[in-house]
């Protein structure tokens, strides 16, 4: 309850206009249908579009960087494909302490993001659910049966 009250109080001074909240997107990509739900899309007073993902956890040492976020990048693509809104910024809002990390969206990453969608879809079709990456940096490692950290 305290988190919600603090969020509401701080939100009163936030000057961006909410365009979408808890909004679904869906688009076709090759043989795949990509679906998702974005927490918030807003337009700031300068007319810039911001994709926001609320986070309720994460200690300050493990907070993800929005610039490296596949999730936020995919949200930006989904919002553009579905609502014709081009993201200017990607943002994580950490509700526990109202820390906001926002970075410019790099349109150059779109191809790499969609390559990952393709590669992941092909792996799923092959029943290949192997892990990859550095388990020590993974935010869900405590829930993973293949955790090597």
């Amino acid at each position: 309850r305290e988190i919600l009250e603090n969020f509401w109080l701080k939100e009163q001074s936030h000057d961006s206009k909410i365009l979408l909240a808890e909004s679904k997107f869906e688009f076709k990509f090759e043989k795949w249908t990509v679906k998702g739900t974005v927490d918030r899309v807003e337009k700031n007073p300068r007319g810039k579009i911001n994709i926001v993902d609320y986070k309720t956890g994460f200690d300050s040492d493990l907070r993800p960087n929005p610039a490296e976020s596949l999730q936020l990048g995919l949200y930006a693509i989904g919002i553009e494909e579905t609502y014709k809104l081009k993201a200017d910024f990607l943002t994580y809002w950490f509700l526990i302490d109202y820390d906001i990390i926002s970075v410019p969206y790099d349109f150059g990453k779109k191809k790499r993001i969609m390559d990952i969608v393709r590669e992941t879809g092909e792996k799923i079709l092959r029943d290949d659910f192997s892990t990859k990456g550095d388990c020590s940096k993974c935010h869900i490692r405590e829930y993973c049966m293949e955790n090597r950290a």
Side-chain angles (χ1 to χ4, degrees), residues 38-79:
V38 65
D39 289 343
R40 176 174 175 157
V41 178
E42 61 184 21
K43 183 187 287 188
N44 72 21
R46 295 179 317 279
K48 302 295 183 182
I49 302 295
N50 186 20
I51 307 287
V52 177
D53 188 52
Y54 298 121
K55 296 295 183 191
T56 56
F58 295 107
D59 68 39
S60 58
D61 294 336
L62 296 175
R63 291 194 171 169
N65 178 350
E68 299 169 4
S69 171
L70 175 63
Q71 176 189 15
L72 283 172
L74 198 52
Y75 285 177
I77 295 165
I79 293 305

Side-chain angles (χ1 to χ4, degrees), residues 62 130-149:
L62 296 175
S130 57
T131 59
K132 65 175 186 157
D134 182 352
C135 292
S136 68
K137 293 182 180 177
C138 181
H139 299 291
I140 62 167
R141 68 180 168 271
E142 65 190 75
Y143 307 107
C144 180
M145 294 172 37
E146 306 229 1
N147 181 3
R148 297 180 305 269

Side-chain angles (χ1 to χ4, degrees), residues 2 8-9 12 14-15 18-19 24 34 46 51 57-58 61 69-70 72 86 90 92 105 108-109 123-124 127 135-136:
E2 182 180 335
W8 185 84
L9 288 172
Q12 301 312 300
H14 193 71
D15 56 358
I18 298 172
L19 302 177
K24 298 188 181 315
V34 180
R46 295 179 317 279
I51 307 287
F58 295 107
D61 294 336
S69 171
L70 175 63
L72 283 172
K86 286 189 158 234
L90 304 178
Y92 280 134
Y105 174 55
K109 291 186 177 181
K123 283 179 68 174
I124 291 169
D127 287 330
C135 292
S136 68

Side-chain angles (χ1 to χ4, degrees), residues 28-29 33 61 88 116-117 122:
K28 294 294 285 176
F29 171 67
T33 299
D61 294 336
D88 295 296
I116 292 170
V117 168
E122 294 296 344

Side-chain angles (χ1 to χ4, degrees), residues 70-135:
L70 175 63
Q71 176 189 15
L72 283 172
L74 198 52
Y75 285 177
I77 295 165
I79 293 305
E80 181 178 1
E81 293 288 329
T82 305
Y83 299 98
K84 308 306 179 217
L85 294 170
K86 286 189 158 234
D88 295 296
F89 295 96
L90 304 178
T91 300
Y92 280 134
W93 281 18
F94 297 93
L95 299 178
I96 200 140
D97 57 6
Y98 207 75
D99 188 23
I100 298 173
I101 303 172
S102 188
V103 298
Y105 174 55
D106 179 359
F107 288 96
K109 291 186 177 181
K110 182 175 181 178
K111 181 186 180 319
R112 180 64 191 132
I113 290 168
M114 297 317 295
D115 287 347
I116 292 170
V117 168
R118 180 187 306 106
E119 292 163 14
T120 302
E122 294 296 344
K123 283 179 68 174
I124 291 169
L125 288 177
R126 292 191 311 270
D127 287 330
D128 177 358
F129 299 98
S130 57
T131 59
K132 65 175 186 157
D134 182 352
C135 292

